[in-house]
Amino acid sequence: MNAIELWQETRQVLKDMYGKRLTDGEFQAFLLVAQKLGLDPVSREIIPQVREGQHGRQVAFIVSRDGYLKAAMRDPGFAGLQSMVVREGDTFEIHPSEGKVVHRFGSKRGEILGAWAIAYHKERPPVIFFADFREYYEANKASPTWRTYPSAMIQKVAEVGALRRQFPLSGVVAAEEIGVEPPQAPEVAVEPSRPAPLPSPAPITPEQVGALAQAFSALGLKGEPARELAQRRVERELASIKDLTREEAEDLLAYLEDLAQGLEPFPRVRRGELIGAWLEENPKGAPGVQDLLSLFGQLQEEPEEEAV
């Protein structure tokens, strides 16, 4: 198959995928924009979106997070991307003038507050973007993807926000900016809230599995008690520790290390006994250091039963 035949076949595939929603002119514009940005419509790095509203028919070309990252990485100055989800209980500070973020997980992490991302360039200062979870979730709460993977989705929003500011593409606007004024021509839009397709959260690494095994051992836990504590921490059922995502494993490891540090005066076996007793008395939640120390005090105060 020569290049012309391959292009004709690819064009027909795209026509079958997207052409029914677009006029011939819109479909041609879609192909030209995808070619200009170097994005693959077959892999859904860029897709067309058609809306019928009060301003009439509106067409936008939606670029996924992976597509935007691919475009940014073609810049010779691309120097990396960092991001993380922020939850209640975390220590979190942004220093815009220094181009850095200070973020440490808390021992008890609560609801999602948002996510941050930093896009680095070899010749320009870092760009920091923070995405407020409530703002984006309210706009997308009807989406099953947002309800199932809220932390993954808000992290993608932050990543696209930072990439879009550090590596601007001509003619690209964010999806939330579409529809304020009826567009006169199809626009290219970045829709971080609707990546296609959605990749699964990164799985736990072998290094994290080993680190968690050591952390549980330091607390005198193994087998079912260890799995129960992990389930309480991540708030979902686990067949084994290997079912954790990379982010969950990082959070769990930090939590176990905090427990070990707070229970350092106790022998390892006693640590496991305290945690097991707390889990037995409390059907929900995961204990903090103070919870376990309070339980130890209560056990010390209980009078011993007299021998008969």
Side-chain angles (χ1 to χ4, degrees):
M1 181 181 295
N2 58 38
I4 295 178
E5 292 174 336
L6 179 61
W7 165 244
Q8 290 175 342
E9 182 175 327
T10 302
R11 181 186 177 91
Q12 185 58 49
V13 170
L14 295 175
K15 188 73 173 178
D16 293 340
M17 291 176 66
Y18 306 119
K20 295 179 181 179
R21 291 176 283 167
L22 305 174
T23 66
D24 290 343
E26 292 165 349
F27 181 68
Q28 184 64 27
F30 173 62
L31 295 182
L32 290 174
V33 171
Q35 183 178 24
K36 177 184 176 182
L37 300 182
L39 300 179
D40 182 9
V42 177
S43 300
R44 299 177 66 82
E45 293 174 344
I46 180 171
I47 61 174
Q49 182 186 72
V50 179
R51 293 180 179 178
E52 300 287 348
Q54 60 180 349
H55 297 298
R57 179 184 175 85
Q58 300 183 30
V59 179
F61 303 147
I62 308 302
V63 180
S64 71
R65 172 266 188 190
D66 291 340
Y68 208 104
L69 179 59
K70 178 180 178 180
M73 290 178 68
R74 289 200 303 271
D75 189 308
F78 180 80
L81 175 70
Q82 285 186 309
S83 65
M84 188 56 66
V85 175
V86 181
R87 292 177 177 269
E88 290 179 347
D90 289 0
T91 299
F92 175 65
E93 298 176 357
I94 293 180
H95 300 275
S97 60
E98 301 176 27
K100 71 175 185 179
V101 170
V102 177
H103 183 195
R104 291 187 294 273
F105 287 177
S107 59
K108 288 188 175 181
R109 304 189 75 203
E111 298 296 321
I112 300 172
L113 298 179
W116 59 267
I118 306 179
Y120 296 94
H121 193 282
K122 295 177 182 178
E123 299 178 358
R124 296 194 291 263
V127 171
I128 303 174
F129 185 89
F130 180 80
D132 182 87
F133 178 72
R134 180 176 297 178
E135 175 184 347
Y136 285 93
Y137 187 79
E138 285 299 316
N140 296 279
K141 60 185 178 182
S143 165
T145 302
W146 270 87
R147 294 198 301 269
T148 306
Y149 302 105
S151 60
M153 297 306 296
I154 194 62
Q155 190 167 353
K156 288 181 181 294
V157 172
E159 290 174 346
V160 170
L163 288 170
R164 184 158 59 91
R165 286 158 177 77
Q166 183 66 276
F167 304 94
L169 298 180
S170 177
V172 175
V173 296
E176 60 268 19
E177 296 171 336
I178 296 176
V180 176
E181 293 292 337
Q184 300 301 314
E187 298 182 23
V188 180
V190 175
E191 188 179 36
S193 60
R194 295 178 62 187
L198 178 71
S200 300
I204 188 172
T205 65
E207 292 77 13
Q208 287 177 316
V209 172
L212 285 172
Q214 293 180 2
F216 278 120
S217 177
L219 290 171
L221 296 174
K222 63 180 181 179
E224 183 59 27
R227 187 174 70 91
E228 175 66 19
L229 182 60
Q231 289 184 151
R232 299 277 193 98
R233 180 62 181 178
V234 302
E235 299 180 337
R236 67 182 183 89
E237 293 290 330
L238 298 171
S240 73
I241 295 301
K242 293 182 179 180
D243 289 343
L244 292 168
T245 66
R246 191 171 303 176
E247 182 181 349
E248 288 173 336
E250 185 175 354
D251 170 61
L252 179 59
L253 183 59
Y255 166 70
L256 296 177
E257 290 175 346
D258 284 343
L259 289 185
Q261 183 177 1
L263 299 177
E264 187 175 3
F266 299 95
R268 184 171 59 178
V269 174
R270 186 55 170 160
R271 299 174 193 174
E273 292 173 347
L274 282 173
I275 295 173
W278 193 95
L279 294 176
E280 187 175 344
E281 290 186 4
N282 299 271
K284 295 183 179 180
V289 173
Q290 291 302 319
D291 297 323
L292 297 173
L293 293 179
S294 297
L295 177 60
F296 175 75
Q298 295 171 12
L299 294 176
Q300 292 295 101
E301 293 174 1
E302 292 180 0
E304 296 183 1
E305 295 183 359
E306 295 183 359
V308 178

